[in-house]
Amino acid sequence: MPTKPPAVEIEVDDRVVRVSNPDRVYFPESGATKLDLVEYYLAVGPGIVNALLERPCMLHRFPKGLAGEKVHQKRVPRGAPPWVETVRLHFPRFDREADELCVTELASVIWAVQMSTVEFHPWNSRRTDTEKPDEWRIDLDPGPLCDFATVQRVAQVAREVLDDLGAVGYPKTSGGSGLHVYVRIPPDHGFQDVRRAALAFAREVERRAPDDVTTAWWRKDRDPHHLFVDYNQNARDHTIAAAYSVRGFPDARVSTPIRWDEVADVDPHDLTIFTVPERYAELGDLHADIDAHPFDIAPLLEWADRDEREGAETPDLPEEE
C-alpha cells in the first residue's frame, strides 16, 4: 500500500500553514500539484492580497483536484485557525447568514489553498460597509460564437469611454474567454446604483460598437457572435475571479492584470501559474495603485436617468441567495 506523502509546513510572514497532501495533482494536464498552487500564490502574494483585501470572498474549492467535484463555498471552511478573519453577510432571500473569508494577510490565502481552494471570488465591497461597493467591474463576456479579437476590440472601446469620463480602468484577463476592467469608486452608493451606472456605461459601449456588443438582458435575445458587457457582475453577491486568482481550467490559467498596451496582443492561455510568477517578479502588481484613482459614478447615473427617460428599461436585480 503506498504511503501518504507527508505534510509540509509553509512559513508565511509570522504564520505557519500546514499543507497536507502536497503532492496531490490538481491540474492533470501539466501535473501541477497542490504545493505548486501554494508556491504560485506565494510568488504573487502582495498582488492577490491587494485584490482580496478586506472583501468578503467566495471560494471555489476542488478537494480532489480538477478531476473531482467543484465546491462553491460561501462559508469559511471549518477548522480555520483563530487568525483567519471573516465577515458576516446576510442573504435576505432565505434570511440566512454566512461568515465568509475576509483576507487581511497572505497566510489566509495559503490556508484557503490548503483547504483545496483554487479560485478566489471576492465581493466588490469591503467589510467596512459590505452594502456599498468600492469597485465597479466591467466584464467583457463573449458569446459562444464571439472570438477573442472581438473582445480585444471592445476593450479598446471601453477604454475610450472611460477616458471620456476621466476614469482610470485597470484591465485583466478573466482567465477564461473574456477580459475584465476594474475601476475604483468611492463607497457612496448601494449595489443598485452601481449596477445602474454599469448598465449606462454598457449601453454607451454598445452605441459605439453596435456590430460587436449587446446589452440584451436575456441570453436567448443575444446574437451569439456578440459580446455581452455584463453589468450584472455589479449586483449584490455576484462575484468574479480576483486579479491573480488561478482558474479551474486544466492548463492552470490565471486571471492576470495586464497593461492597456498589451490588450491587442495578449493570449490568456499564455498566463498560467507557470508563467505569471516571472511576469510578476518583473512588473510587480499592475493593479497596485488602483486605490489612488477613484471615480465618482455621478455622470454614469445621469446617463442612466437619461436612458430611462428615453424609454430604456433597467431589468430588475437578480434575486439574492
Side-chain angles (χ1 to χ4, degrees), residues 141 202 206 209-210 212-218 221-223 226-231:
D141 182 14
E206 183 180 26
D212 287 335
V213 174
T214 181
T215 57
W217 170 251
W218 297 107
D221 295 332
R222 300 176 199 158
D223 184 327
H226 281 191
L227 178 147
F228 179 49
V229 181
D230 190 356
Y231 55 92

Side-chain angles (χ1 to χ4, degrees), residues 24 68 82 114 121 123 133-134 161 165 180 194 214 226 228 247 254 258 262 273-274 295 305 307 318 321:
R24 174 172 287 158
Q114 149 58 18
H121 287 236
W123 280 40
D134 73 334
V161 180
L165 288 164
H180 300 153
V194 175
T214 181
H226 281 191
F228 179 49
R247 302 302 308 275
V254 172
I258 57 176
E262 295 180 291
I273 63 171
F274 310 106
F295 168 71
D305 291 340
D307 292 346
E321 184 179 322

Side-chain angles (χ1 to χ4, degrees), residues 56 73-76 78 86-101 123 130-131 236-237 320-321:
Q73 186 146 355
K74 294 180 186 292
R75 292 166 178 81
V76 72
R78 292 181 179 177
T86 61
V87 56
R88 178 159 295 178
L89 300 171
H90 180 68
F91 297 96
R93 185 179 175 192
F94 297 109
D95 193 25
R96 292 192 301 204
E97 291 186 334
D99 293 323
E100 293 198 12
L101 178 68
W123 280 40
T130 58
E131 301 306 312
R236 189 181 193 270
D237 194 30
E320 301 147 7
E321 184 179 322

